[in-house]
Amino acid sequence: MARPKVPLLSVDRIADAALELVDSGEPFGVNALARKLGVTPSSLYNHVDGLDGIIELMRGRFSTEAGAQLQHGTWHEIVAETLRAQRRMYARHPNLVPLVVGKTITDPFVIESYDRLASTLLEAGFPDDEVLGVIAILDAFAIGFGLDLASPEEIWHPQGETQTLGRLIAEAPHGDERSDRAFELGLELLLDSLRGRLARILA
Amino acid sequence: MARPKVPLLSVDRIADAALELVDSGEPFGVNALARKLGVTPSSLYNHVDGLDGIIELMRGRFSTEAGAQLQHGTWHEIVAETLRAQRRMYARHPNLVPLVVGKTITDPFVIESYDRLASTLLEAGFPDDEVLGVIAILDAFAIGFGLDLASPEEIWHPQGETQTLGRLIAEAPHGDERSDRAFELGLELLLDSLRGRLARILA
DNA sequence: ACCTGAACACCGTTCAAGT
DNA sequence: ACCTGAACACCGTTCAAGT
């Protein structure tokens, strides 16, 4: 016991196991993670900064996984691809979404991706004092749809009579198909209006 | 002790205290809530269905609080008012947002509000198979911005150099003002594009 | 440097016992 | 019907001890 000659743990091993645990759908926590790694919970604190640290680690990992973003193309192609990439990540690890939501972003890769988005919008012609607002909107949209993927099959569960909601729910496609369609529709709407706004600004 | 002549608890009293606790910013839970009510945790289970039940209770309460929605007006006025009302609720109880996120909605008042939205969009001329998608988009938008309000002051915290993000963050307004502006901009964009889409559909 | 084990202050939920 | 108190199976985190 005590200190082994070759370390049992490493930041990478912890991140891998954490993502696996999250994806398995079992409740996530440092104790559960330690069990999965065959180790004592306190061991993790030699490598990682507690629960929040592990979550931030996953955010970084799962955004690196998403791979290279489009580097050239029109600004709206870049925006669309960035959002689609983010959505793919959320789709691959839906259970991670509720964990990362509302925590300050410090991971360098994630920061870099937002930085690139900001530069792109600025170069496209959006004014300085509007770029961050546009990004906040894109972010709200992406995270909202991320949560949509993490949500239970039934978002609404009407108990009694409804005027139209019940019928539409019954008729509509379910699960990922519904979510995918809504995402693409929303993306189209958002880009349309951004294009229009930019045209007016540049005119 | 044991059973008192006049009950110490009631569903209403629990809901009130729960919202107060959430709004105080202290960690929310059934133990903390019981302490606040001067009662044993197990007592709550006589009135309420555990932690999830209490959270659903708050969702209902805090959407009733939002009060009457616009009943007439154009469809986009109704949509705008519904989203603004939702945002006001989120703004008033930001700490509730992370709690309700991703849990199936059963509260009748909330269901009714979505039902009304669905009817409005249908009457406006959006096709059957698109209404739920539009609502999902509006929802993603609203929840995304709700989380924006619940987020820490600094959403992004760049550690190193950035191309443009750091400068924009320093220049931009902070906190609620930033969030409010982005919300109104996003709402405008969304409504613009929905109007355009509807015009094309009806043409 | 890196792991264990004990300790601490918490959780949410169940259930018998009491009035 | 409605509350308590004990019990259970968990949490996240700290820290001395061991190699």
Side-chain angles (χ1 to χ4, degrees), chain A residues 148-167:
Chain A
D148 193 35
L149 285 166
S151 288
E153 264 301 286
E154 291 239 87
I155 301 180
W156 305 286
H157 186 70
Q159 306 276 21
E161 285 290 305
T162 60
Q163 229 183 327
T164 50
L165 195 60
R167 180 175 63 81

Side-chain angles (χ1 to χ4, degrees), chain A residues 80-185:
Chain A
E81 262 328 294
T82 304
L83 286 191
R84 285 206 189 93
Q86 208 169 337
R87 174 166 173 87
R88 274 193 300 272
M89 300 184 307
Y90 288 149
R92 198 145 34 212
H93 309 289
N95 298 322
L96 185 54
V97 183
L99 294 178
V100 300
V101 132
K103 307 215 165 184
T104 302
I105 301 172
T106 60
D107 184 88
F109 283 101
V110 181
I111 293 280
E112 194 193 324
S113 140
Y114 280 102
D115 192 29
R116 209 150 42 203
L117 206 53
S119 302
T120 301
L121 292 172
L122 213 58
E123 278 164 33
F126 285 97
D128 270 40
D129 62 344
E130 219 167 77
V131 167
L132 232 48
V134 171
I135 290 183
I137 292 163
L138 297 173
D139 213 36
F141 181 75
I143 204 85
F145 271 103
L147 285 168
D148 193 35
L149 285 166
S151 288
E153 264 301 286
E154 291 239 87
I155 301 180
W156 305 286
H157 186 70
Q159 306 276 21
E161 285 290 305
T162 60
Q163 229 183 327
T164 50
L165 195 60
R167 180 175 63 81
L168 291 180
I169 291 173
E171 284 174 5
H174 284 287
D176 285 3
E177 195 192 335
R178 174 194 62 71
S179 192
D180 282 352
R181 275 218 224 166
F183 174 81
E184 283 299 329
L185 176 58

Side-chain angles (χ1 to χ4, degrees), chain B:
Chain B
M1 314 283 151
R3 173 155 120 92
K5 296 190 186 173
V6 43
L8 298 175
L9 297 176
S10 72
V11 173
D12 267 354
R13 232 196 285 275
I14 291 173
D16 285 342
L19 261 182
E20 256 182 59
L21 181 57
V22 161
D23 288 343
S24 77
E26 281 153 48
F28 182 79
V30 345
N31 289 353
L33 180 57
R35 271 194 300 276
K36 188 181 175 63
L37 285 162
V39 110
T40 271
S42 50
S43 312
L44 297 173
Y45 287 80
N46 287 300
H47 302 269
V48 141
D49 191 16
L51 182 64
D52 283 2
I54 298 170
I55 290 172
E56 243 332 83
L57 212 62
M58 282 191 281
R59 177 172 3 222
R61 172 65 60 96
F62 112 113
S63 69
T64 311
E65 236 183 49
Q69 278 171 53
L70 213 57
Q71 294 284 5
H72 38 271
T74 62
W75 65 267
H76 53 260
E77 281 170 348
I78 293 179
V79 167
E81 263 327 295
T82 305
L83 285 191
R84 285 207 189 92
Q86 209 170 335
R87 176 167 172 86
R88 275 195 300 273
M89 301 184 305
Y90 288 149
R92 198 145 34 215
H93 309 288
N95 298 322
L96 185 52
V97 183
L99 294 178
V100 299
V101 132
K103 306 214 166 185
T104 303
I105 301 172
T106 59
D107 184 89
F109 284 101
V110 181
I111 294 279
E112 193 193 324
S113 140
Y114 280 101
D115 192 29
R116 208 150 44 205
L117 207 53
S119 302
T120 302
L121 292 172
L122 213 57
E123 279 164 34
F126 285 98
D128 271 40
D129 62 344
E130 219 167 78
V131 167
L132 232 47
V134 171
I135 290 184
I137 291 162
L138 297 172
D139 213 37
F141 181 75
I143 204 85
F145 270 105
L147 285 168
D148 192 37
L149 286 165
S151 288
E153 264 299 288
E154 292 238 86
I155 300 180
W156 304 287
H157 186 70
Q159 305 277 21
E161 285 290 306
T162 60
Q163 227 182 329
T164 50
L165 194 61
R167 180 174 64 80
L168 291 180
I169 290 173
E171 284 174 4
H174 284 288
D176 286 2
E177 196 191 336
R178 175 193 61 72
S179 191
D180 283 352
R181 276 217 223 165
F183 174 80
E184 283 298 329
L185 176 58
L187 185 55
E188 196 187 318
L189 294 177
L190 219 48
L191 286 176
D192 264 12
S193 53
L194 283 177
R195 261 192 297 260
R197 186 173 185 86
L198 186 59
R200 264 171 277 139
I201 288 171
L202 297 180

Side-chain angles (χ1 to χ4, degrees), chain A residues 19-111:
Chain A
L19 262 182
E20 255 182 59
L21 181 56
V22 161
D23 289 341
S24 78
E26 282 153 48
F28 182 78
V30 344
N31 288 353
L33 180 56
R35 271 194 300 275
K36 188 181 176 62
L37 285 162
V39 113
T40 272
S42 50
S43 313
L44 297 173
Y45 287 79
N46 287 301
H47 303 268
V48 140
D49 192 14
L51 181 64
D52 284 1
I54 297 170
I55 291 172
E56 225 3 58
L57 211 62
M58 282 191 280
R59 165 149 43 200
R61 172 66 60 99
F62 111 114
S63 69
T64 311
E65 236 184 51
Q69 278 171 50
L70 213 58
Q71 293 283 5
H72 37 273
T74 61
W75 65 268
H76 54 261
E77 281 169 348
I78 293 178
V79 168
E81 262 328 294
T82 304
L83 286 191
R84 285 206 189 93
Q86 208 169 337
R87 174 166 173 87
R88 274 193 300 272
M89 300 184 307
Y90 288 149
R92 198 145 34 212
H93 309 289
N95 298 322
L96 185 54
V97 183
L99 294 178
V100 300
V101 132
K103 307 215 165 184
T104 302
I105 301 172
T106 60
D107 184 88
F109 283 101
V110 181
I111 293 280

